Amino acid sequence: MYIEQAYKGLTDAWRYIIGGAIIFVAWQVIGMIPLGIAIFIKVAEGGEIAMDIPGMVSLLGENLFLFLMLISFAVGLIGVFVSSKLLHKLSIKDLTTTRRKIDWKRFWYIFILWGVVSSIFVLIDYYFITPEDYVWNFEMKPFLILLAIGVCLLPLQTSFEEYAFRGYGMHFLGTLFKNRWLPLVITSVAFGLLHIFNPEVKQLGYVIMVYYIGTGLFLGIITLMDDGLELALGFHAANNLFTALLVTADWTALQTHSILKDISDPAEMALTEIFVPVFIIFPILLFILSKKYGWTNWKDKLLGPVVEPPNEDYKIIGEE
């Protein structure tokens, strides 16, 4: 039902192509102007130019770089909504869910669940398993600034990625190929490739793409099974926000004034950081969510055909 939501609007391929261009320009051109200006000013003042993430963090500072980087995603999100509304005549609600209205209870359920679980994992590791891998990094003033930036802008960054990939991308590919499995696979791989220039890839190698693509696959599955983006939006927001606040490292894309700093050898983290979430934790989460929301007919929802409704008389899934 979620991909069929696209048929409530206009689904011509050219509209998605133009919309994709609008989204890219909003995100990577217009949205990057503030960051570009800040770098230019710092270099003009005598700073050393650097175009990789660690270099830009060193030049601008953690909080300023994070703020300016997240601005680009916020502008990109506007690009998604503008494209959906103007080109496809599809409302934000219909881009989000098949329900009568956006179910924020779903969002907050998985946000709190994953926020608590991921925080417990970090604290257990810090206090009991490998405390030698962490140093206390907390400073009140920069942390409070980080908290404000994170709460206001990180959900916009994660929402952009969800609406662009699981929303706009799945709608386009689903209406183009008339099936569900190709949109699921292609958007998951594309989501993984979005992170290929992250510093983590340089440190851990391309094996980390298993985590990125696996996370995209998990988010795509819960979107298709639940007939909406609410769970994907909540999980992704919690994942990035709690990570940014709790722990950072010199070799990650999210370098922040977090409470803890990871000083371990990144090569030694591959097993726990990459394979455990994808092959153990995500399947457990799928089981929990399937029981809570009564998911059935997995084969058809994930692999079945996408059929254009004969008219505009759509079935609306009721609230739970």
Side-chain angles (χ1 to χ4, degrees), residues 277-293:
V278 173
F279 295 106
I280 298 177
I281 296 174
F282 291 168
I284 293 173
L285 285 175
L286 286 175
F287 176 78
I288 293 171
L289 294 172
S290 69
K291 293 300 181 183
K292 179 172 178 59
Y293 296 112

Side-chain angles (χ1 to χ4, degrees), residues 81-274:
F81 291 156
V82 167
S83 297
S84 179
K85 188 66 176 178
L86 296 185
L87 285 171
H88 303 277
K89 311 301 181 184
L90 193 70
S91 68
I92 294 174
K93 193 282 291 184
D94 287 332
L95 184 63
T96 306
T97 186
T98 61
R99 284 164 275 275
R100 296 186 184 277
K101 59 182 180 180
I102 297 173
D103 187 352
W104 291 107
K105 290 182 180 179
R106 278 172 154 82
F107 175 93
W108 288 114
Y109 172 77
I110 197 167
F111 180 91
I112 294 170
L113 173 65
W114 185 240
V116 170
V117 170
S118 59
S119 299
I120 289 173
F121 285 155
V122 171
L123 294 176
I124 289 175
D125 196 34
Y126 172 63
Y127 281 107
F128 301 108
I129 300 177
T130 56
E132 68 277 5
D133 287 346
Y134 299 90
V135 294
W136 191 254
N137 192 54
F138 179 77
E139 296 179 59
M140 179 64 76
K141 184 177 179 179
F143 177 80
L144 291 177
I145 296 173
L146 166 65
L147 179 63
I149 294 171
V151 169
C152 294
L153 291 180
L154 269 172
L156 298 182
Q157 176 243 328
T158 56
S159 294
F160 164 73
E161 294 181 2
E162 292 311 307
Y163 277 105
F165 287 91
R166 258 64 64 180
Y168 202 79
M170 275 197 176
H171 277 184
F172 172 41
L173 296 171
T175 56
L176 180 66
F177 294 116
K178 307 297 183 184
N179 63 51
R180 303 176 193 281
W181 69 269
L182 264 176
L184 176 60
V185 171
I186 292 174
T187 57
S188 299
V189 172
F191 177 77
L193 293 177
L194 174 69
H195 301 81
I196 199 167
F197 295 111
N198 282 15
E200 294 93 328
V201 177
K202 183 178 180 181
Q203 290 292 329
L204 298 174
Y206 290 111
V207 67
I208 197 173
M209 300 307 293
V210 172
Y211 172 76
Y212 290 134
I213 294 173
T215 301
L217 187 63
F218 168 73
L219 293 167
I221 290 172
I222 63 177
T223 297
L224 291 179
M225 291 304 303
D226 200 51
D227 291 309
L229 283 175
E230 294 98 332
L231 292 177
L233 288 167
F235 175 90
H236 203 162
N239 187 71
N240 286 28
L241 179 60
F242 282 88
T243 298
L245 295 177
L246 280 177
V247 62
T248 188
D250 290 334
W251 47 272
T252 63
L254 274 177
Q255 296 187 31
T256 65
H257 286 287
S258 58
I259 296 173
L260 301 171
K261 185 172 185 178
D262 190 328
I263 58 172
S264 64
D265 182 356
E268 296 177 356
M269 300 172 61
L271 179 63
T272 55
E273 296 293 324
I274 297 173

